[in-house]
Amino acid sequence: VKSFRFYNRWSNPLVLLKAQSTGAYEGLFSATVEPFALFYMISCLASDEMLGGGGLADNLFHGTDLLSSAVYPSDYVWNAYYKSIEDVNNAITQLQFMPSEVSKSDIDHAHGEALFLRAYYYTQLASIFGPVPVIIKNTWEEKMTTATAEAVWGQILLDLKNAIALMDSYSPTLTSDDSRVGKYAAEALLARSFLFYTGFYQGIHDIAANDASVTLPDGSTLTKNDVIAYINDCVDNSGFKLVADYRNLWPYTNRLTVEDYSYTKGQGLKWVEDDGAVNPEVLFKVKYSNLASWSTSTGYANRIALYMGIRGGQNYSNTFPFGQGWGVGPVSPAFFSDWTQAEPNDMRRNASIQDVNELPQYAMNAYADGIQETPFHEKK
């Protein structure tokens, strides 16, 4: 539901507020029907860590891997993100017209959620395309700001700064309401955005100075010390923390099959999400449906698992405990080798990457039209 105009004046005001703010989240799934447009997959394939993979005809993945604009679906990605930003802007506008029965604190929190989401969409859009036009109102009168790094990252930081001020100090992902954004997620994303802008774009010439600052679009400033204070608040007060064993982050340590997988057998591991438990590292999550369907009407399913699963064509026991898919994004042997040389004792390497040579029944190149298959696949 993207607008409260679908509700009459007798609707429950809190339901109305929830529906209105929920519309801003729709963009998290807008590209799910086509995972090649998701920031996660783009980042993986365009990096040095993975190859394009898939089949001979999967030019989109090969093009992303090779950074080729000739085959990359830039129009689809561009439109998906700007449609998401349009939805957020609509939600922010409509929040001004909430019934008087809705408390200001509830409206403020919903406003903060929307600002976080707009910043989130812009971080991904700008990370893919570089400086992009900034639109913060869906009106004909508004003129898009010049597409500069200063404009887009300044707006991102301003939205997150305002979101932090508007939202309550609670941790949705540590509660049953784990599909919503909280203040601490905004603090973390602000810090990440500040580091990226000031590092990659050299937005601050003397970042070592404690009073180093970025000037925001409204004329206010965001200093290095401000960002440190936000992070300290998140670390000290949010309730989030790192798990003791990195391997327990991943479902292959689930209690039902942990002893059936040679890598985890006898290690005393336990998935942090066993029996409905909450992952204490996740400040913000995109929740998918567990309905597996190819139909675009169920685009809320996580189809990344299909695209990036080990390329199939053989008995599922050969790839246990991992499912099978199209083999997009095989891990680069050069990356695995570099990691081994640089950090030979880093447990995270084998916790993150499966060497299929250690799966005795696995057959390489089981699919005749597979391309760029390597012995290495991601475990996540």
Side-chain angles (χ1 to χ4, degrees), residues 6 113 129 134 137 217 339:
F6 296 111
E113 290 180 73
F129 292 103
V134 177
K137 292 181 180 179
W339 194 349

Side-chain angles (χ1 to χ4, degrees), residues 291-336:
L291 174 64
S293 171
W294 183 250
S295 168
T296 56
S297 64
T298 53
Y300 296 100
N302 183 358
R303 286 165 62 182
I304 295 176
L306 169 64
Y307 279 62
M308 302 189 77
I310 296 176
R311 196 154 179 90
Q314 54 194 292
N315 193 293
Y316 277 92
S317 63
N318 295 359
T319 57
F320 176 85
F322 307 104
Q324 299 180 22
W326 293 350
V328 174
V331 175
S332 164
F335 170 70
F336 188 87

Side-chain angles (χ1 to χ4, degrees), residues 108-109 111-113 115-116 157-169 182-191 222 226-227 229-231 233:
D108 284 348
H109 196 279
H111 189 184
E113 290 180 73
L115 290 174
F116 170 91
L157 294 171
L158 177 61
D159 279 349
L160 293 169
K161 178 183 176 183
N162 289 336
I164 293 167
L166 287 166
M167 288 195 285
D168 298 329
S169 297
K183 180 184 78 166
Y184 301 115
E187 289 178 333
L189 185 59
L190 181 144
L222 181 69
D226 292 334
V227 178
Y230 287 136
I231 283 298
D233 180 43

Side-chain angles (χ1 to χ4, degrees), residues 158-200:
L158 177 61
D159 279 349
L160 293 169
K161 178 183 176 183
N162 289 336
I164 293 167
L166 287 166
M167 288 195 285
D168 298 329
S169 297
Y170 85 111
S171 303
T173 54
L174 290 176
T175 72
S176 60
D177 193 21
D178 63 358
S179 61
R180 315 294 293 192
V181 173
K183 180 184 78 166
Y184 301 115
E187 289 178 333
L189 185 59
L190 181 144
R192 181 170 184 164
S193 301
F194 184 87
L195 285 171
F196 180 79
Y197 172 63
T198 58
F200 186 81

Side-chain angles (χ1 to χ4, degrees), residues 256-272:
L256 297 179
T257 63
V258 64
E259 294 302 315
D260 299 319
Y261 177 29
S262 59
Y263 174 71
T264 56
K265 183 177 182 179
Q267 300 295 310
L269 301 174
K270 178 178 171 56
W271 187 31
V272 293

